[in-house]
Amino acid sequence: TLPVVHETGGLKDTVKGLWDDSHLEVATGWLFSPFEEGALKHTLYKALDTFHHRRDAFRKLQSNAMTASFYWPTAMDEYER
């Protein structure tokens, strides 16, 4: 399952958003902001559109997410920068 998350804190640092096709090689999900109903709905519609009409892109996001490294020492180094 690919995440749809509010663009804040650790979520923003962990989930790489699919803003447009130029981010397809690194995207792992969708982020929304501000924290309100309209922004969430819009992002859910984008995610569903990708799932239903752009299956190759959706599979690429799945692959990106499955191969992403969440090794804790690396995350700590990035946080400290």
Side-chain angles (χ1 to χ4, degrees):
T1 302
L2 294 170
V4 175
V5 300
H6 181 233
E7 186 179 2
T8 188
L11 293 172
K12 180 172 73 173
D13 297 337
T14 305
V15 177
K16 306 299 182 215
L18 179 62
W19 303 110
D20 56 43
D21 283 348
S22 69
H23 295 94
L24 189 56
E25 292 303 313
V26 296
T28 58
W30 292 266
L31 295 100
F32 69 92
S33 186
F35 190 65
E36 60 187 34
E37 179 183 348
L40 174 59
K41 275 184 174 179
H42 178 73
T43 304
L44 286 172
Y45 288 141
K46 288 193 310 188
L48 287 169
D49 183 69
T50 304
F51 177 78
H52 287 290
H53 302 292
R54 302 180 59 216
R55 287 296 235 191
D56 290 340
F58 192 84
R59 286 190 184 100
K60 178 63 178 160
L61 267 72
Q62 287 178 312
S63 175
N64 293 347
M66 296 286 288
T67 59
S69 173
F70 297 103
Y71 184 60
W72 187 245
T74 303
M76 289 183 343
D77 289 343
E78 287 181 24
Y79 180 76
E80 290 175 349
R81 279 189 237 159

